[in-house]
Amino acid sequence: MEHFDVVIIGAGPSGACAGALLSKAGKKVLCVEKQHFPRFSIGESLLPHCMQFLAEAGLEHAVQQQAAAQGFQFKNGAAFLKNDFRTAFDFTDKFSPGPGTTFQVKRAAFDKILADAAAEQGVQIRYGVTVNQVDINAPEHAVLDVSDDNGQQYQLSAGFVLDGSGFGRVLPRLLDLEQASDFPMRQACFCHIRDNISDPRFDRNKILITVHSSLPDVWFWLIPFSDGSASLGVVAKQQRFDAGLSAADNLWQLISQTPELAQLLAQAEPINQAQSLTGYSANVRSLHGNRFALLGNAGEFLDPVFSSGVTIALRSAAMAVPLVLRQLAGETPDWEAEYSKPLRKGIDTFRTFVTAWYDGRFQDVIFSHQRQAKVTAMISSILAGYAWDQANPYVAEPERRLNVLRELCLDAE
């Protein structure tokens, strides 16, 4: 049985970041990944707060190199469109300290770059490896039963296990940690397109979020890439989709009902088959336990509307690693007080704004004609990923502050 200080499940952003940080601390780390990279993934519009954690893990240089080679699209904000109302938030004009720009990336290339950079720092990565069982309470070490693509089965032991498996949610399934999300069942249909957009009002440096003309709970993402292609998707309650239509037909039918977006995409050409994802919101009873912790989407996933997934994944890795190091050194960290509660504080900030997006309160704020610079900067910080900055009133008291702001915006109209 091979032994490692830490076994990480999943080689995506959280796994690569955690592995690099642990390897820099001198630990023997193995990352097991079920798929083979590069592979397709959604979550293509990063937030500036991500760059802080990539820098801490020594992964930012590899990303910047790829960007310099015209591989990644520069991103400095988010644009919103509802009927004929257009507005935008500039992430460089924000309340919180930290990076104000980032990139829009094809995750197949981005995730492989992070994994390769982590491997260069000493992280062992094995692709095509499935974790079948985990005994967290085995004597002395955790024991993992794994198998590879050739059917070979073997065991690994680890002082600690981190689950960065994303939507695979390996430990939540194996350890019976799954808990239903309190978000309504929603569905997403998406594909990549050659966008062929010529409208000068379209800013390729920003993600574009468009609200359906008559259904405010239906929205579209348009994430431009540097090669003239883009990621396009729609999110709505499941009943908004026609079960008799394909994912592509549902996507383009809803676009056709939104004239401004339909006109923008009049020359667009799909370049891959549209996919559909249903019931993606997820939660767990606990983010940690004896000899394990959950990172990113393996713990909780809210909704794609504000592109928070990769930010939460990287932040969770950066928060968990110091506690793992202390535990391996013989200490007893308080995982609930030092990891779960502070991580969930930022997730709950995102949750407040996601909920308010769908019930219309946050849309009333975003599409208000009255915009105060200081408040705009505070909102811009949250949209840029800084949902843990307690100095920001909209993080410290998100629900109350947002409700007051919404009423002010309505009164001003």
Side-chain angles (χ1 to χ4, degrees):
M1 185 186 302
E2 294 179 276
H3 177 74
F4 297 86
D5 294 317
V6 181
V7 169
I8 301 172
I9 305 171
S14 66
C17 181
L21 289 168
L22 288 163
S23 186
K24 286 172 67 175
K27 299 305 175 184
K28 184 180 180 183
V29 184
L30 172 67
C31 183
V32 291
E33 167 60 51
K34 184 175 182 178
Q35 296 181 289
H36 291 269
F37 284 15
R39 54 88 178 95
F40 177 83
S41 178
I42 58 173
E44 299 145 318
S45 192
L46 305 182
L47 303 183
H49 195 27
C50 289
M51 306 308 292
Q52 174 183 330
F53 306 115
L54 294 177
E56 291 175 6
L59 303 176
E60 183 186 24
H61 180 66
V63 174
Q64 295 284 6
Q65 278 188 319
Q66 178 69 13
Q70 299 301 311
F72 294 143
Q73 171 67 48
F74 176 79
K75 175 184 175 182
N76 63 8
F80 296 85
L81 173 62
K82 186 174 184 178
N83 295 320
D84 59 350
F85 193 116
R86 298 170 185 267
T87 188
F89 288 80
D90 184 344
F91 291 161
T92 64
D93 183 16
K94 58 180 173 51
F95 174 84
S96 303
T101 63
T102 184
F103 300 100
Q104 298 181 145
V105 300
K106 293 183 180 179
R107 286 286 301 279
F110 177 75
D111 288 10
K112 188 174 189 306
I113 287 168
L114 295 190
D116 289 349
E120 290 177 5
Q121 295 187 34
V123 180
Q124 294 187 47
I125 302 180
R126 297 180 188 173
Y127 295 98
V129 175
T130 299
V131 177
N132 300 310
Q133 290 190 21
V134 176
D135 185 354
I136 293 297
N137 300 311
E140 298 185 5
H141 302 106
V143 176
L144 298 87
D145 294 337
V146 304
S147 58
D148 62 23
D149 284 348
N150 298 318
Q152 181 181 0
Q153 300 181 23
Y154 56 98
Q155 289 187 320
L156 304 166
S157 71
F160 203 90
V161 180
L162 289 171
D163 187 353
S165 60
F167 290 118
R169 299 172 63 77
V170 172
L171 289 188
R173 288 187 294 103
L174 295 179
L175 301 180
D176 193 25
L177 299 172
E178 300 255 39
Q179 179 174 295
S181 172
D182 55 4
F183 275 15
M185 179 79 73
R186 292 192 177 94
Q187 182 174 335
C189 294
F190 48 90
C191 68
H192 281 183
I193 59 171
R194 182 69 54 189
D195 60 72
N196 297 316
I197 295 174
S198 58
D199 190 332
R201 294 173 296 179
F202 180 61
D203 185 352
R204 299 196 74 86
N205 294 337
K206 294 177 176 64
I207 181 176
L208 175 64
I209 296 176
T210 303
V211 180
H212 188 282
S213 292
S214 58
L215 303 171
D217 63 303
V218 179
W219 64 275
F220 307 86
W221 77 72
L222 181 60
I223 304 170
F225 300 127
S226 61
D227 62 358
S229 65
S231 176
L232 173 67
V234 61
V235 175
K237 294 177 183 176
Q238 197 170 13
Q239 56 265 34
R240 300 291 192 196
F241 295 92
D242 186 336
L245 296 179
S246 67
D249 288 342
N250 269 301
L251 171 61
W252 291 102
Q253 177 174 277
L254 288 166
I255 289 173
S256 71
Q257 299 167 10
T258 309
E260 291 76 18
L261 183 61
Q263 183 177 359
L264 188 68
L265 297 174
Q267 304 302 318
E269 307 168 79
I271 56 178
N272 68 356
Q273 186 172 355
Q275 300 182 44
S276 180
L277 187 62
T278 304
Y280 45 75
S281 297
N283 205 347
V284 290
R285 291 197 304 275
S286 177
L287 293 174
H288 61 89
N290 184 33
R291 299 186 187 136
F292 78 88
L294 310 180
L295 306 177
N297 293 349
E300 181 171 6
F301 182 74
L302 298 173
D303 191 271
V305 66
F306 300 127
S307 307
S308 61
V310 175
T311 297
I312 293 172
L314 293 174
R315 177 149 192 136
S316 66
M319 291 177 64
V321 165
L323 302 183
V324 174
L325 294 173
R326 285 169 50 197
Q327 185 155 328
L328 293 176
E331 297 182 34
T332 307
D334 187 338
W335 279 88
E336 186 64 21
E338 299 179 73
Y339 178 69
S340 184
K341 286 184 178 179
L343 180 62
R344 286 190 186 277
K345 174 60 179 173
I347 294 174
D348 287 344
T349 300
F350 281 126
R351 183 195 310 279
T352 297
F353 281 84
V354 170
T355 300
W357 169 266
Y358 283 106
D359 67 27
R361 288 175 294 150
F362 193 37
Q363 291 192 33
D364 289 339
V365 170
I366 286 178
F367 295 107
S368 172
H369 289 84
Q370 306 298 321
R371 185 78 74 81
Q372 185 185 36
K374 185 176 180 180
V375 174
T376 297
M378 293 175 180
I379 298 299
S380 185
S381 285
I382 294 170
L383 294 176
Y386 295 91
W388 291 265
D389 179 11
Q390 290 293 310
N392 186 341
Y394 290 89
V395 172
E397 299 179 292
E399 187 75 25
R400 187 182 75 82
R401 292 279 184 168
L402 182 56
N403 287 338
V404 171
L405 179 59
R406 187 243 192 164
E407 292 303 319
L408 292 174
C409 289
L410 292 179
D411 290 343
E413 298 297 320

